Amino acid sequence: MTWQQKIDDALTARRRADAWRQRYAVTQGAGRWLQADGRQYLNFSSNDYLGLSHHPQIVCAWQQGAERFGVGSGGSGHVSGYSVAHQALEEELAQWLGYSRALLFISGFAANQAVIAALMGKEDRIVADRLSHASLLEAASLSPAVLRRFTHNDSQHLERLLTAPCPGQQLVVTEGVFSMDGDSAPLADIHAVAEQQGAWLLVDDAHGIGVCGEEGRGSCSRQQVKPELLVVTFGKGFGVSGAAILCSDNVADYLLQFARHLIYSTSMPPAQAQALRAALAVIRSREGDERREKLTMLIRRFRAGMNTPDLTLAHSDSAIQPLIVGDNHKALQLAQALRQQGCWVTAIRPPTVPTGTARLRITLTQAHEAQDIDSLLEVLHGTGQ
Ligand SMILES: *Cc1c(COP(=O)(O)O)cnc(C)c1O
């Protein structure tokens, strides 16, 4: 087989399975509206849950940060790229979430890769929820550690897997709010089981942080659980991008020595760290509460409107409201029909989700108004879904 054939075969298989992935160059993609092809659509596919991507104070903090620090950090944090802005953000995050330390990463994907690569050796075992995000499962399968998956949100299955003998250390991995399903992990049960077996718990709260819990502290705070490792990302509720790992002093010291994504990669621009500090201040404030309350109201309105015999929504009280369709082709057609009627929704297909569970991943944001939800409901009911 030639290179050409290898590539062509893979592309053909993707197309045949209706699994072809495509990007659209949008003029604007976060917030209430999505603008593309000279048209404006109601945006039900961004992760900007709190509508912070266009918040004036946060935009201004980034601009002022760029004037003060320049647009780039100048290097890895281990060389010259760790600024007072990064330091202040790390301290604020640690204090907010009740950890000794926070370490910043360029993205959630990098944070997950880094922590699993740095901590897990071949004697060790990772026990992950089956539906964990690709960044976690990929890191786990690239790692020399043994990977076992437990049935989604099933702490009894987790316990059975953990009790099998393991020569090294065990790490339990799950998400706070699941990215493609919108449901929450039973973190208290999972942590108790892990603790009993001497395993550590890593919770990736990409979709909970900022959006739920007191002062937006996320899923763990809401369920009163403190995992040994907490990954938070800033591309969703924070409306920016980047990530942090919250941990103890000695784990932070260890990651600074051994996490290659920190050592061999340029740190985030200090101006971005300043924008994140401004986003954190909004999230913790009264305004943050109001934004969360409005989002909750919109979620309730949507679910109430979907509550008809012909429409079944997955169980989710988060901003992620998947409508499981099953078949890839049908999911694509439905997304297309919605788009024609002014609602931008993404069809999510395998391998992002299990085979036979293609879905419309509808996401709501605080930037929506009640009438936007009603428009979406009307369009959905009109399609016979
Ligand atoms: C989005 C997401 C990530 C990746 O975060 P980025 O900052 O976008 O790289 C990691 N984990 C989960 C659960 C996510 O949803």
Side-chain angles (χ1 to χ4, degrees):
M1 198 200 277
T2 62
W3 266 109
Q4 195 62 41
Q5 277 167 331
K6 173 185 156 86
I7 305 286
D8 285 348
D9 288 357
L11 292 178
T12 307
R14 268 284 154 100
R15 274 191 213 275
R16 287 221 180 104
D18 277 319
W20 189 259
R21 296 163 193 259
Q22 211 169 346
R23 301 180 303 172
Y24 290 88
V26 300
T27 341
Q28 179 169 304
R32 182 180 181 190
W33 301 105
L34 184 145
Q35 286 162 8
D37 316 326
R39 263 193 81 181
Q40 176 153 284
Y41 303 84
L42 278 171
N43 185 0
F44 294 104
S45 56
S46 97
N47 295 321
D48 183 15
Y49 305 126
L50 296 177
L52 296 183
S53 64
H54 291 77
H55 193 290
Q57 273 158 254
I58 303 171
V59 172
C60 181
W62 195 315
Q63 287 167 335
Q64 288 180 349
E67 274 165 32
R68 178 168 164 206
F69 296 99
V71 290
S73 68
S76 143
H78 287 61
V79 186
S80 61
Y82 183 64
S83 69
V84 291
H86 296 94
Q87 184 180 42
L89 175 59
E90 286 184 345
E91 285 172 9
E92 287 161 12
L93 289 167
Q95 188 264 335
W96 176 48
L97 295 169
Y99 282 80
S100 305
R101 297 279 285 279
L103 292 177
L104 296 175
F105 286 80
I106 274 297
S107 70
F109 201 100
N112 286 337
Q113 300 283 313
V115 68
I116 288 176
L119 285 174
M120 305 308 290
K122 73 174 189 307
E123 309 274 271
D124 304 326
R125 180 158 61 203
I126 299 167
V127 189
D129 187 290
R130 298 199 73 81
L131 297 187
S132 298
H133 191 260
S135 58
L136 293 163
L137 291 177
E138 185 179 287
S141 50
L142 291 175
S143 141
V146 173
L147 167 63
R148 303 300 308 272
R149 300 167 197 226
F150 63 96
T151 309
H152 180 50
N153 284 345
D154 184 343
S155 54
Q156 282 171 358
H157 187 210
L158 168 65
E159 184 164 29
R160 286 201 300 281
L161 295 177
L162 285 174
T163 43
C166 170
Q169 305 305 316
Q170 301 199 85
L171 181 68
V172 176
V173 170
T174 191
E175 292 181 36
V177 173
F178 281 82
S179 51
M180 295 300 143
D181 293 82
D183 58 342
S184 297
L187 294 174
D189 291 353
I190 288 176
H191 197 215
V193 166
E195 211 160 36
Q196 228 168 36
Q197 303 301 325
W200 273 10
L201 173 62
L202 182 160
V203 175
D204 175 345
D205 201 22
H207 299 275
I209 199 69
V211 187
C212 66
E214 201 186 326
E215 279 191 23
R217 290 192 186 95
S219 309
C220 295
S221 157
R222 182 162 68 165
Q223 298 190 44
Q224 300 186 324
V225 170
K226 188 176 169 193
E228 287 76 11
L229 299 160
L230 171 61
V231 174
V232 297
T233 73
F234 306 130
K236 281 119 189 185
F238 273 68
V240 188
S241 90
I245 296 179
L246 284 297
C247 58
S248 66
D249 271 316
N250 81 334
V251 172
D253 289 343
Y254 179 92
L255 291 174
L256 285 169
Q257 301 311 309
F258 298 109
R260 291 188 297 277
H261 296 69
L262 283 180
I263 303 167
Y264 298 110
S265 186
T266 304
S267 62
M268 72 168 64
Q272 183 183 339
Q274 292 290 78
L276 287 167
R277 295 178 67 198
L280 178 57
V282 172
I283 283 169
R284 298 187 72 170
S285 69
R286 177 88 207 100
E287 182 190 338
D289 288 338
E290 285 161 10
R291 284 176 179 261
R292 283 182 285 275
E293 281 158 23
K294 182 173 170 204
L295 179 61
T296 304
M297 185 275 286
L298 294 169
I299 294 167
R300 286 210 189 104
R301 189 179 186 95
F302 178 69
R303 287 191 70 82
M306 290 295 282
N307 194 11
T308 60
D310 53 324
L311 289 171
T312 37
L313 275 178
H315 179 75
S316 157
D317 62 1
S318 72
I320 304 162
Q321 293 290 327
L323 185 61
I324 313 270
V325 178
D327 177 62
N328 284 6
H329 188 64
K330 210 175 142 202
L332 282 174
Q333 275 184 329
L334 197 51
Q336 194 56 35
L338 289 172
R339 206 162 285 183
Q340 273 159 11
Q341 296 181 72
C343 294
W344 194 283
V345 179
T346 312
I348 306 278
R349 292 155 289 158
T352 306
V353 293
T355 309
T357 70
R359 65 199 65 191
L360 294 185
R361 180 176 180 267
I362 298 166
T363 52
L364 306 181
T365 151
Q366 177 279 341
H368 289 134
E369 296 301 334
Q371 78 236 36
D372 303 342
I373 306 298
D374 297 347
S375 302
L376 174 64
L377 287 166
E378 199 174 304
V379 171
L380 279 171
H381 287 292
T383 59
Q385 285 305 305

